[in-house]
């Protein structure tokens, strides 16, 4: 079964005055136009640059269009540094209505953090954005344009994925032969075992309709680096329309990925994803409300 349970402490966020309030649920009707979910593990140094850029963009957008409403949910994935304290500064500056911090009791992995934040969001649209700020935040407009071009159907299901595929040749030129081999090997396994038609499954900049997020995240099992692949695999199984949009991306120092071992782990995860769905050990879940 998918682990959607959360610790008692993970059900609450702190307001600007330090009071505890209960997080809403993805099963509830939306009450904001946009939710931005930011998974963060030991990101006290890199996150402020991303948050400053995101909040500047979102505040300007709201001034230009007063009816636009948003929230940012920073998910501290069991960090050992001051990630939560840094994030709470933005709560105090902008209010808990705009910036909320979900601090996980223990490290779940990026996929687990994104899912927890998504399941606590209020937006009609839900953006997954990495804390390192590698993707230009204003490129959300490109993802939104991509969603508009999709036939969402009566269930309003659609996903718009940021993509770095257009930068691949440049990155190959800068990488070692070994890292390039690992990259292409991973791409082949993704195509062969799980997801076809998406050139860049791993870009941490994805936009979901609320309905698509509920349907896909309710079935997500993988909580670490390969979670993007399972998420898109689930979406394709449910026939959720997916578009891929080129975004501006810059490599930021301080990545948590360990070149060889992380790629090896992701490769094994892909094999396990395929095997577990084929054997019926994992099944697609119907969204249902739970703790």
């Amino acid at each position: 079964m998918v682990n959607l349970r959360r610790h008692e402490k993970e059900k609450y966020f702190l307001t600007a005055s330090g009071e505890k309030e209960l997080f809403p649920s993805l099963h509830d009707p939306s009450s904001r136009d946009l939710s931005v979910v930011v998974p963060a593990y030991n990101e006290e140094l890199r996150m402020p640059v991303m948050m400053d850029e995101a909040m500047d963009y979102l505040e300007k957008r709201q001034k230009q269009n007063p009816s636009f409403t948003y929230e940012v949910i920073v998910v501290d994935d069991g960090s050992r540094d001051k990630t939560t304290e840094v994030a709470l500064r933005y709560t105090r500056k902008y209010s808990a209505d705009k910036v909320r911090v979900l601090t996980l009791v223990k490290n779940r992995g990026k996929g687990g953090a994104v899912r927890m934040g998504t399941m606590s969001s209020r937006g009609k649209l839900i953006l997954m954005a990495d804390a390192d700020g590698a993707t230009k935040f204003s490129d959300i407009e490109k993802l939104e344009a991509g969603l508009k071009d999709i036939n969402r159907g009566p269930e309003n299901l659609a996903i718009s994925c940021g993509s770095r595929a257009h930068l691949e040749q440049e990155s190959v030129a800068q990488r070692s032969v070994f890292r390039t081999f690992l990259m292409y090997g991973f791409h082949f396994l993704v195509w062969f075992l799980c997801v076809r038609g998406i050139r860049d499954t791993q870009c941490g900049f994805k936009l979901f309709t609320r309905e698509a997020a509920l349907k896909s995240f309710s079935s997500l099992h993988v909580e670490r680096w390969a979670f993007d692949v399972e998420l898109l695999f689930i979406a394709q199984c449910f026939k959720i329309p997916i578009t891929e949009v080129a975004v501006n991306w810059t490599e930021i120092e301080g990545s948590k990925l360990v070149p060889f071992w992380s790629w090896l782990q992701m490769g094994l995860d892909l094999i396990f994803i395929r095997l577990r769905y084929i054997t019926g050990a994992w099944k697609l879940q119907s969204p249902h409300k739970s703790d």
Side-chain angles (χ1 to χ4, degrees):
M1 294 293 292
V2 175
N3 179 20
L4 293 175
R5 294 184 179 180
R6 61 177 74 196
H7 191 279
E8 186 67 24
K9 293 180 180 178
E10 298 169 348
K11 297 179 181 179
Y12 300 90
F13 64 91
L14 293 178
T15 65
S17 60
E19 297 177 358
K20 287 182 10 178
E21 289 191 13
L22 192 66
F23 273 110
S25 168
L26 187 61
H27 293 267
D28 300 333
S30 64
S31 59
R32 296 294 179 272
D33 292 317
L34 175 69
S35 292
V36 181
V37 177
V38 184
Y41 177 66
N42 293 340
E43 293 286 5
E44 65 170 316
L45 299 179
R46 298 197 302 176
M47 186 171 61
V49 176
M50 177 270 171
M51 285 294 292
D52 288 343
E53 180 189 358
M55 296 306 296
D56 182 60
Y57 170 85
L58 293 167
E59 286 291 288
K60 285 181 179 178
R61 182 165 170 174
Q62 191 171 64
K63 285 181 181 178
Q64 293 170 356
N65 179 14
S67 65
F68 171 72
T69 54
Y70 74 89
E71 67 174 351
V72 177
I73 302 174
V74 178
V75 186
D76 181 347
D77 189 21
S79 299
R80 291 169 292 182
D81 65 359
K82 297 181 180 179
T83 294
T84 288
E85 289 86 338
V86 170
L88 284 172
R89 293 176 196 165
Y90 292 88
T91 298
R92 290 189 286 270
K93 182 176 180 179
Y94 295 99
S95 83
D97 189 52
K98 291 184 174 180
V99 181
R100 296 179 173 182
V101 183
L102 169 53
T103 303
L104 303 185
V105 173
K106 64 178 182 178
N107 177 262
R108 285 175 174 253
K110 184 180 177 182
V114 172
R115 180 175 59 196
M116 292 289 279
T118 300
M119 299 304 289
S120 306
S121 63
R122 297 175 287 168
K124 293 177 185 175
L125 298 178
I126 301 168
L127 175 72
M128 177 181 92
D130 285 346
D132 61 4
T135 306
K136 187 177 179 182
F137 193 83
S138 59
D139 278 0
I140 183 179
E141 295 175 12
K142 296 180 180 179
L143 299 190
E144 288 175 307
L147 280 188
K148 289 178 181 176
D149 293 336
I150 296 178
N151 180 10
R152 305 184 193 182
E155 293 184 282
N156 193 37
L157 299 171
I159 301 173
S160 185
C161 298
S163 175
R164 303 158 297 179
H166 60 295
L167 303 172
E168 190 171 285
Q169 292 305 315
E170 180 182 339
S171 67
V172 166
Q174 296 173 354
R175 282 191 173 103
S176 67
V177 173
F178 181 63
R179 289 191 67 183
T180 299
F181 172 77
L182 289 177
M183 179 186 73
Y184 281 124
F186 179 76
H187 287 177
F188 172 76
L189 286 177
V190 169
W191 174 86
F192 185 71
L193 296 171
C194 300
V195 177
R196 299 188 178 185
I198 304 296
R199 294 178 64 194
D200 183 5
T201 58
Q202 300 308 111
C203 182
F205 204 64
K206 293 181 175 69
L207 186 66
F208 304 78
T209 62
R210 188 174 186 83
E211 293 79 5
L214 179 59
K215 197 147 191 172
S216 52
F217 278 97
S218 294
S219 289
L220 183 69
H221 297 82
V222 176
E223 294 194 321
R224 298 202 174 271
W225 296 110
F227 84 96
D228 300 81
V229 177
E230 189 196 358
L231 198 63
L232 295 175
F233 173 78
I234 291 166
Q236 290 189 337
C237 287
F238 279 129
K239 300 190 185 311
I240 297 174
I242 305 171
T243 188
E244 195 171 10
V245 180
V247 295
N248 293 291
W249 186 84
T250 305
E251 188 160 352
I252 307 295
E253 292 185 4
S255 171
K256 307 298 187 299
L257 277 171
V258 181
F260 176 75
W261 294 110
S262 294
W263 286 101
L264 178 62
Q265 182 61 57
M266 285 193 288
L268 291 173
D269 282 345
L270 297 183
I271 295 170
F272 287 138
I273 288 170
R274 187 64 177 171
L275 286 176
R276 285 167 178 164
Y277 277 107
I278 287 176
T279 60
W282 288 355
K283 296 180 181 179
L284 298 176
Q285 306 287 326
S286 297
H288 59 279
K289 197 162 187 176
S290 69
D291 290 338

